[in-house]
Amino acid sequence: MRAPFSPARKALAALALSVGLLPSGHAALFEDGEARRAILEMRQRVDGMQQAQQRSAEELRRLGEENAQLRRSLLDLQAQIESLRAEQAKLNGQNEQSLRDLGELQRRQKDIAQGVDDRLRQFEPLRVNLDGQEFQADPAEKRSFEAALATFRSGKFPQATAAFSAFLQQYPRSGFLPSARFWLGNAQYATREYKEAIGQFRQLLAETPEHARAPEAALSIANCQVELKDARAARKTLEDLVRTYPHSEAAGAAKERLARLK
């Protein structure tokens, strides 16, 4: 198959055909110089067309290369964007993990601090208000007294006697001391240790005569003396109670007892 004619070749062929088809009479009118000029002009036109085609081809090639380069640049840019997105996602994941780790660390620190505070509070003095007395006591001291009192109230009097005796020995300067002596005396009274009970009640009166439990302690001494069949001592104790604490409930009970002792 023959290659198609280029536009330049077509132009030369058309020129040659036009010259060849002219009648001989007209052809004679053209001189050699004019024919040569016409051929030269035609050749210049053909050369110009060829150069234009060449420039167009080069321009197309250049544009193609630029387009290819642009496409490569776009692909590189897209790859960089994807890489940046992946890196950003990784960083976001690391940040989220860091935030979770930080939150966990803060929670642990808070738990540790709370644990330290709780342990410190176990040793910090507590403000106690008991039987009209206000004082400071260690947490362990308060727990020990309350445990002994709970034992007494449950009716376990021998165990209560042992618990209050141990308390008095362990905390000889405690603010609970007067109340502890009072309940120890009552526990001993319940187990019929009357003489020991009288000793605790009298010590309470000697050490803290203004204590809220003092009138009851005096009445309890009289009760122990009655149990010991010492009516004379019981009478004196009741009379002293009425005289020393005339406005107390224990004084009213003492008057009734005195009436029965006559």
Side-chain angles (χ1 to χ4, degrees):
M1 180 181 296
R2 292 183 180 179
F5 287 109
S6 66
R9 288 185 177 181
K10 289 180 179 181
L12 287 175
L15 178 60
L17 183 60
S18 64
V19 174
L21 292 178
L22 287 175
S24 60
H26 288 83
L29 296 176
F30 289 95
E31 295 181 354
D32 292 341
E34 292 178 354
R36 283 196 294 271
R37 281 195 298 274
I39 292 171
L40 290 174
E41 290 176 1
M42 184 59 66
R43 285 180 177 176
Q44 290 175 355
R45 291 176 58 190
V46 170
D47 291 340
M49 293 175 66
Q50 288 179 340
Q51 292 175 359
Q53 286 181 346
Q54 185 176 3
R55 286 194 298 271
S56 297
E58 291 178 353
E59 184 67 20
L60 288 174
R61 179 181 58 77
R62 185 181 62 79
L63 291 175
E65 292 177 352
E66 291 179 354
N67 186 44
Q69 180 63 33
L70 180 59
R71 292 184 64 183
R72 287 193 296 271
S73 299
L74 289 175
L75 290 175
D76 291 342
L77 181 59
Q78 184 65 29
Q80 293 176 8
I81 291 173
E82 293 299 329
S83 177
L84 289 174
R85 285 178 178 173
E87 185 67 21
Q88 184 64 39
K90 181 180 178 181
L91 291 175
N92 289 340
Q94 292 175 347
N95 288 337
E96 292 176 359
Q97 183 62 41
S98 297
L99 290 175
R100 287 193 293 269
D101 293 342
L102 179 60
E104 180 65 18
L105 179 60
Q106 290 175 339
R107 185 188 65 79
R108 290 181 180 177
Q109 289 178 336
K110 183 178 180 180
D111 291 343
I112 292 172
Q114 183 65 41
V116 171
D117 290 342
D118 292 341
R119 286 193 292 273
L120 289 176
R121 276 195 290 271
Q122 294 178 358
F123 303 99
E124 290 179 356
L126 301 174
R127 184 176 296 277
V128 178
N129 195 317
L130 179 67
D131 294 333
Q133 302 294 314
E134 187 172 299
F135 54 91
Q136 297 284 337
D138 292 336
E141 177 185 352
K142 183 174 182 291
R143 287 193 299 269
S144 181
F145 175 83
E146 291 175 345
L149 185 59
T151 302
F152 176 87
R153 287 174 174 170
S154 68
K156 299 177 182 179
F157 301 118
Q159 294 87 334
T161 298
F164 279 117
S165 297
F167 180 88
L168 294 176
Q169 185 176 3
Q170 185 175 0
Y171 303 103
R173 291 183 173 82
S174 172
F176 287 104
L177 197 62
S179 298
R181 289 195 184 282
F182 174 80
W183 292 110
L184 174 57
N186 278 278
Q188 291 169 332
Y189 178 86
T191 57
R192 299 183 180 182
E193 300 175 72
Y194 302 121
K195 292 182 179 181
E196 290 79 2
I198 290 174
Q200 294 299 328
F201 292 133
R202 283 179 173 170
Q203 193 164 354
L204 186 157
L205 292 171
E207 293 176 351
T208 53
E210 301 301 324
H211 193 270
R213 295 288 184 179
E216 295 179 63
L219 183 61
S220 296
I221 291 173
N223 292 336
C224 290
Q225 290 169 337
V226 169
E227 294 294 337
L228 292 171
K229 310 301 182 183
D230 191 350
R232 182 177 179 180
R235 177 180 295 279
K236 184 177 185 309
T237 300
L238 292 172
E239 290 174 349
D240 290 342
L241 168 59
V242 172
R243 184 174 58 256
T244 306
Y245 306 104
H247 304 294
S248 65
E249 292 183 7
K255 291 176 182 179
E256 295 178 1
R257 302 280 178 84
L258 284 170
R260 290 199 298 267
L261 286 175
K262 289 181 181 179

